[in-house]
Amino acid sequence: MTPSHTLTGEEPEHLTQAARCQAQVDPLAARRAPGDPPWDVYLTGTVFLDIIFTGLDSAPVRGTESWARGMGSSPGGVANMAAALARLGLRTALAAAFGDDHYGEYCWDALERGEGIDLSASRTVPGWHSPVTVSMAYEGERTMVSHGHEPPSQAVFIQEAAQAPPRARAAVASLTPGRSAPWIARAAREGARIFADVGWDETGAWDLAGLAELEHCEAFLPNAEEAKRYTGSDCPRLAAHALTAHVPVAVVTLGAEGAYAVDRRTGETAEVPAIAVEALDPTGAGDVFVAGFVTGSLAGWPLADRLAFAGLTAALSVQEFGGSLSAPGWSEIGAWWRRVQSLPGQDPKALERYAFLDGLVPKELDRPWPLRRAVPTIGFRRSG
């Protein structure tokens, strides 16, 4: 298993007819021009094999055996974001280490062949087994157990791949307090727009100075609690405004309340309420939200449309199980838009918020919905 693609100024090799049909919509079609970067989005990180147990009536109880009514498997970790971007029609390149076990082969195949993601910058690491996460979903929440080892060639991999990102319109980065990621500055210098989220600060410092690469970012997308802690504000909306002293666009997710965003450059603010759905599994919803916002940003949409689209894609994702398995594509988005317009008693103002989808979603679905994503169980051969 070795990279088979080369980076050129032409249409990327991975955009086969099957991949183009899968995307159905190119949200950047009107903005593409000769000489554009070969990739829309670049990202790097760790790929996990996710094994998801579903249909549990309650949390597992110590000393007992629980049987799940369903199970699926898919690439996880950074693959959640990569799959979400690719399904929205963005040409996506991923740099990651893969184990040379069956798990690694499965994840590579699911991402490259199944999702049309370019893995030219990725590497297979001999003798390293793939990191694994087992997720148990119940009552709208999930419990996860993970296991993995640092790949023996991690330092070489980072130097060869992540430190030399391919030319792309944008990059998505996950900032880690106190840890430097020089590839972000390099990508920004070469013209990539950087969109960043952040994890929980285990040090408890909550110091923006510890996020060294924030100065290279166009947009920062923390959740409400993270935003408040980093700014010392009691209000997530005020925190968003405070963050624009450090980054041009601040987007703060508000959980069940939706999301709020500020663009320092234009003076725009936007707040969009969350879409009420029955949440089965929140795994990967944050990644899908970021992917939706990146898509709208690269397409040049108004801030409120970007925020609404991000919230919609995240809401659709939590109605399915798994991380990369649940990321919606244009078939799901189009089906939702047609269905919601046909329901009686809809608030016209609420529908107007998503009217921009009219010119985007496929007029006809060429496949049944919901879609069957990655091969659900390792060991089955790919059909068709």
Side-chain angles (χ1 to χ4, degrees):
M1 184 192 309
T2 57
S4 59
H5 305 303
T6 57
L7 299 178
T8 69
E10 302 173 353
E11 182 175 77
E13 289 181 36
H14 79 274
L15 287 178
T16 61
Q17 186 62 37
R20 280 191 289 270
C21 288
Q22 182 178 22
Q24 290 190 278
V25 173
D26 181 359
L28 308 188
R31 305 176 75 87
R32 298 198 186 279
D36 281 350
W39 310 112
D40 295 326
V41 188
Y42 167 80
L43 64 163
T44 184
T46 302
V47 173
F48 284 73
L49 169 69
D50 282 356
I51 300 174
I52 306 101
F53 290 105
T54 66
L56 290 165
D57 295 320
S58 61
V61 178
R62 185 175 64 180
T64 67
E65 180 180 13
S66 298
W67 277 83
R69 290 187 290 274
M71 190 197 87
S73 54
S74 65
V78 72
N80 293 338
M81 179 76 73
L85 292 163
R87 289 180 191 171
L88 293 177
L90 299 186
R91 301 172 181 180
T92 303
L94 170 65
F98 290 78
D100 66 347
D101 52 10
H102 289 309
Y103 294 169
E105 182 179 2
Y106 166 81
C107 289
W108 186 293
D109 180 68
L111 294 173
E112 185 177 54
R113 294 178 56 198
E115 305 294 348
I117 295 166
D118 181 78
L119 301 178
S120 296
S122 293
R123 298 290 182 271
T124 296
V125 181
W128 179 56
H129 75 73
S130 303
V132 177
T133 292
V134 174
S135 175
M136 293 161 281
Y138 53 87
E139 299 175 357
E141 285 294 339
R142 84 283 199 201
T143 296
M144 297 183 291
V145 178
S146 297
H147 172 72
H149 299 285
E150 287 291 325
S153 58
Q154 181 74 6
V156 175
F157 167 74
I158 291 177
Q159 181 179 1
E160 292 181 351
Q163 296 298 326
R167 195 165 63 95
R169 296 173 187 264
V172 178
S174 185
L175 305 182
T176 302
R179 185 180 300 175
S180 178
W183 74 265
I184 296 175
R186 178 167 181 174
R189 286 194 302 270
E190 295 182 358
R193 301 163 64 180
I194 311 297
F195 297 80
D197 61 9
V198 68
W200 190 258
D201 187 354
E202 300 292 347
T203 70
W206 297 102
D207 183 4
L208 285 170
L211 303 178
E213 275 70 35
L214 192 60
E215 64 175 309
H216 304 294
C217 298
E218 173 178 326
F220 184 45
L221 299 94
N223 64 33
E225 189 61 31
E226 292 160 351
K228 290 191 295 184
R229 287 178 180 263
Y230 272 118
T231 61
S233 174
D234 292 331
C235 171
R237 294 164 184 82
L238 292 178
H241 284 273
L243 287 171
T244 59
H246 305 271
V247 65
V249 179
V251 181
V252 177
T253 54
L254 308 173
E257 294 182 43
Y260 183 82
V262 185
D263 189 328
R264 182 187 70 207
R265 300 164 301 188
T266 64
E268 288 178 281
T269 63
E271 182 165 1
V272 176
I275 298 174
V277 296
E278 180 183 358
L280 295 180
D281 183 3
T283 303
D287 294 323
V288 172
F289 182 94
V290 173
F293 190 81
V294 170
T295 300
S297 298
L298 295 184
W301 300 348
L303 184 63
D305 289 355
R306 287 182 267 163
L307 207 59
F309 186 71
L312 168 60
T313 53
L316 292 176
S317 77
V318 302
Q319 296 180 83
E320 303 292 338
F321 289 105
S324 64
L325 284 174
S326 68
W330 287 102
S331 289
E332 288 91 340
I333 295 165
W336 174 85
W337 179 231
R338 282 193 286 276
R339 184 171 66 246
V340 76
Q341 291 180 90
S342 68
L343 295 176
Q346 289 294 316
D347 182 355
K349 289 186 177 180
L351 288 177
E352 186 179 349
R353 172 62 272 156
Y354 297 91
F356 67 94
L357 292 173
D358 271 334
L360 288 168
V361 297
K363 300 303 180 185
E364 296 182 6
L365 299 182
D366 60 358
R367 295 174 300 163
W369 180 83
L371 304 178
R372 182 171 181 261
R373 292 300 191 186
V375 180
T377 304
I378 295 171
F380 289 171
R381 293 187 178 275
R382 180 181 299 279
S383 61

